Amino acid sequence: MVTSGKGGVGKTTTSAAIATGLALRGLKTVVVDFDVGLRNLDLIMGCERRVVYDFVNVINGEGNLNQALIRDKRVEDLFILPASQTRDKDALTKEGVIEVMGNLKERFDYVICDSPAGIEHGAIMAMYFADEAIIVTNPEVSSVRDSDRIIGMLASKTYRAIEGKTPIKEHLLITRYAPKRVTIGDMLSADDVQEILAIPMLGIIPESQAVLQASNSGVPITLDDKSDAGQAYLDVVARFLGEDRPLRFIDNKKGFLTRFFGGH
């Protein structure tokens, strides 16, 4: 699952980017929108006009999984299961989610769950069955504090926690990182965030205009491998799969002239 304590931190962008990155590796991947009533994943994936059946239709038996799954037109191994825009969040029943998740696990290498922000019903449903969690946070105090609360819930409210199974594997992803703002003390540093949350770092995504442009045009940012954010997300996918990649885009690089003349 991809989760956050606070809205607007780039969670759906991250879900789309990571799912696309995995599919580009030839791994059959589905990304599931758990944000019933406020769906945005289909917009970011550029398939909003192709939604006929959704997650809730499948749970209620009003359509089957094959009818609801949308195959991405750009990446062969990528599929989307959209949320309903018209239902109440309580439409996601535990029994229904168990059945759909079970079917998806049989058919896909990776099931990426795009959770709503916070601790509402959809978020609880997304986290309940998770094997791994990517906690997305901005480098600001309120976002980090809310993420800390989510980490506490992962340790107590999930199937793995309740049944005493191996804990959910947690990953930290910092988005909208601006080294210049860190330097002037306007933003927490990556080290600060990791020290507070104390979970392994998966990656740092730089503040980038390319993310907004990609979202507005319905193109997952990992398909723009020329942008710094696209490259950073591809690094995240590589690390998630166990590869060793150095963190990039975290230094406030001085301009060439400044360095040449020894400026501070």
Side-chain angles (χ1 to χ4, degrees):
M1 71 173 296
V2 177
T3 183
S4 71
K6 197 169 180 251
V9 300
K11 191 169 25 55
T12 299
T13 295
T14 295
S15 298
I18 289 176
T20 303
L22 290 167
L24 286 168
R25 296 287 196 107
L27 296 159
K28 200 172 180 189
T29 305
V30 60
V31 56
V32 183
D33 193 346
F34 271 81
D35 203 353
V36 174
L38 289 172
R39 78 170 187 229
N40 284 313
L41 180 67
D42 54 313
L43 289 169
I44 286 178
M45 298 294 291
C47 64
E48 67 278 8
R49 292 180 181 171
R50 297 170 61 203
V51 177
V52 180
Y53 292 95
D54 58 51
F55 195 0
V56 174
N57 291 143
V58 177
I59 286 175
N60 291 342
E62 298 155 350
N64 65 40
L65 198 52
N66 288 331
Q67 291 173 301
L69 284 170
I70 299 170
R71 186 173 203 147
D72 190 85
K73 289 182 174 178
R74 298 153 298 205
V75 184
E76 187 180 351
D77 291 306
L78 182 59
F79 292 76
I80 301 98
L81 180 57
S84 168
Q85 248 182 325
T86 56
R87 305 298 181 98
D88 188 79
K89 296 185 188 301
D90 293 332
L92 292 179
T93 62
K94 194 175 280 186
E95 298 72 29
V97 173
I98 285 174
E99 188 174 345
V100 174
M101 288 292 117
N103 287 335
L104 292 175
K105 274 186 169 186
E106 287 176 13
R107 295 170 60 168
F108 291 91
D109 297 315
Y110 283 96
V111 181
I112 306 295
C113 300
D114 180 28
S115 166
I119 54 173
E120 48 139 286
H121 181 72
I124 301 288
M125 285 294 99
M127 78 168 56
Y128 187 80
F129 303 100
D131 298 311
E132 302 196 42
I134 296 171
I135 293 107
V136 182
T137 188
N138 290 160
E140 55 177 66
V141 173
S142 62
S143 180
V144 173
R145 185 184 64 183
D146 290 349
S147 293
D148 200 30
R149 189 168 183 202
I150 293 294
I151 291 167
M153 293 184 68
L154 289 171
S156 60
K157 298 266 186 187
T158 61
Y159 173 79
R160 284 175 172 270
I162 292 164
E163 297 295 323
K165 308 270 186 196
T166 309
I168 288 174
K169 190 174 181 183
E170 297 164 336
H171 310 270
L172 173 62
L173 183 70
I174 302 174
T175 52
R176 306 191 68 176
Y177 196 76
K180 282 184 181 174
R181 292 182 61 195
V182 173
T183 302
I184 61 173
D186 232 10
M187 186 178 268
L188 294 172
S189 73
D191 288 342
D192 292 335
V193 176
Q194 192 169 22
E195 193 175 327
I196 295 165
L197 297 180
I199 59 174
M201 178 74 77
L202 184 62
I204 295 168
I205 310 299
E207 179 78 82
S208 172
Q209 195 63 32
V211 173
L212 183 62
Q213 289 165 354
S215 296
N216 286 340
S217 54
V219 178
I221 188 66
T222 23
L223 292 178
D224 179 10
D225 60 3
K226 301 283 187 293
S227 71
D228 51 0
Q231 291 172 41
Y233 271 116
L234 289 170
D235 284 350
V236 164
V237 171
R239 284 189 212 101
F240 183 73
L241 294 173
E243 295 175 24
D244 193 19
R245 294 274 177 103
L247 287 170
R248 299 191 278 169
F249 315 113
I250 59 170
D251 296 323
N252 183 12
K253 294 181 176 67
K254 294 176 182 174
F256 171 74
L257 289 175
T258 310
R259 282 183 281 127
F260 188 78
F261 290 111
H264 296 289

